[in-house]
Amino acid sequence: MPTDDQPQHEDQQQTRPGTRNRTLSIRTPDGTADAFAVFPDGGGPHPGVLMYPDGFGIRPVLCELAGELAAHGYCVLVPNVFYRDRPTPVMDLPDYIDAAERPRVMAQLMPLIEAHTAGRTLADAAVYLRVLADLPEAAPGPVAVTGYCFGGLLAVRTAAAHPDRVAAVAAFHAPVAAAGPDTLARLTGHAHFGHAASDLTPADLTALNATLAEVTALTCTSEIYPDTAHGFTMRDTDAYDAAGLARHWDRLLPLLARAL
């Protein structure tokens, strides 16, 4: 199926005070990806940010994160990366994912993640960036990419593949090292990686940061957020940590302000 640079715009609705959103249908070579954009209500255009969800997909907590970012002056595009398998919602999620629910949810999630190859990521990323650039609320010029968990890995791959478009990348509780040294070496601009304490040992962090330090085109901070578990930004899971989420905003917003 051919790509379509013009997303299909549906009805707008209020998301949070001071913002608006729009549901999109994005045509890709492999089908149609549902997505949504959220942006300040009035003014603009605004710097663009491509936000990749965690593996659990688009749901209220992701809408809240995107709305909060938009309220700070950004046009945020959030795609359903698993559109090849199913539209949003990509799985049957409880309102709260705790230790009892996690095995069932992960059993649904892992086949989707395993099927989402780096090739799929890069094919989709080119389309998402073009759609973001075409949104009337998005300012021309460089954009940022951010992501959570598995979405953080997609953000890193996207930034590395499009250094001419992506001025900043941020990933939170994400398997950044899984991108591989060759991909990390292609990063440019500004980056921040906020790791869960349960995901990386101090030795792992030292090794990752040594690799990142060799990338002379990159200005990067990479740190373990104290006392956090994987998924700490997501308040609909038992991994949520309010201090970790606050630290995430304290790192993300200045990063975007510097780069965009």
Side-chain angles (χ1 to χ4, degrees):
M1 182 178 293
T3 61
D4 186 346
D5 289 344
Q6 297 300 320
Q8 300 175 17
H9 301 279
E10 300 180 3
D11 292 341
Q12 299 182 9
Q13 61 182 356
Q14 189 80 16
T15 54
R16 55 161 290 161
T19 69
R20 304 282 295 176
N21 72 15
R22 180 179 294 128
T23 302
L24 309 175
S25 295
I26 300 173
R27 296 186 64 198
T28 82
D30 291 335
T32 301
D34 56 286
F36 75 93
V38 56
F39 38 84
D41 187 9
H46 309 278
V49 179
L50 174 59
M51 176 184 283
Y52 285 112
D54 64 353
F56 298 145
I58 296 174
R59 59 199 194 283
V61 70
L62 257 298
C63 297
E64 291 175 7
L65 287 169
E68 175 71 16
L69 185 53
H72 286 275
Y74 298 95
C75 178
V76 185
L77 175 66
V78 185
N80 169 20
V81 301
F82 297 132
Y83 69 88
R84 292 175 181 84
D85 300 281
R86 61 200 73 161
T88 300
V90 296
M91 63 187 70
D92 178 23
L93 287 176
D95 292 336
Y96 185 76
I97 303 169
D98 58 14
E101 289 285 351
R102 194 171 292 273
R104 178 184 67 82
V105 173
M106 294 305 297
Q108 297 180 70
L109 173 61
M110 289 313 298
L112 304 183
I113 290 179
E114 290 167 356
H116 197 88
T117 62
R120 284 185 173 185
T121 301
L122 298 182
D124 291 344
V127 179
Y128 298 153
L129 289 173
R130 184 163 60 247
V131 167
L132 177 59
D134 286 346
L135 290 173
E137 297 83 10
V143 302
V145 184
T146 186
Y148 303 89
C149 187
F150 173 65
L153 176 60
L154 306 190
V156 170
R157 287 172 173 167
T158 298
H162 297 274
D164 57 328
R165 290 281 294 122
V166 178
V169 58
F172 302 94
H173 46 85
V176 173
D182 290 343
T183 296
L184 296 176
R186 294 198 298 274
L187 293 174
T188 62
H190 300 266
H192 175 73
F193 303 128
H195 311 285
S198 65
D199 286 345
L200 284 187
T201 67
D204 292 333
L205 179 67
T206 297
L208 174 61
N209 287 355
T211 299
L212 294 169
E214 295 176 358
V215 186
T216 57
L218 182 67
T219 300
C220 181
T221 56
S222 173
E223 60 180 335
I224 293 173
Y225 287 20
D227 304 317
T228 56
H230 180 74
F232 60 81
T233 59
M234 301 297 160
R235 66 171 186 80
D236 60 351
T237 78
D238 57 4
Y240 173 66
D241 182 84
L245 178 62
R247 190 183 187 99
H248 141 281
W249 289 120
D250 288 344
R251 300 297 190 266
L252 179 59
L253 294 174
L255 175 78
L256 300 181
R258 288 193 299 271
L260 300 181

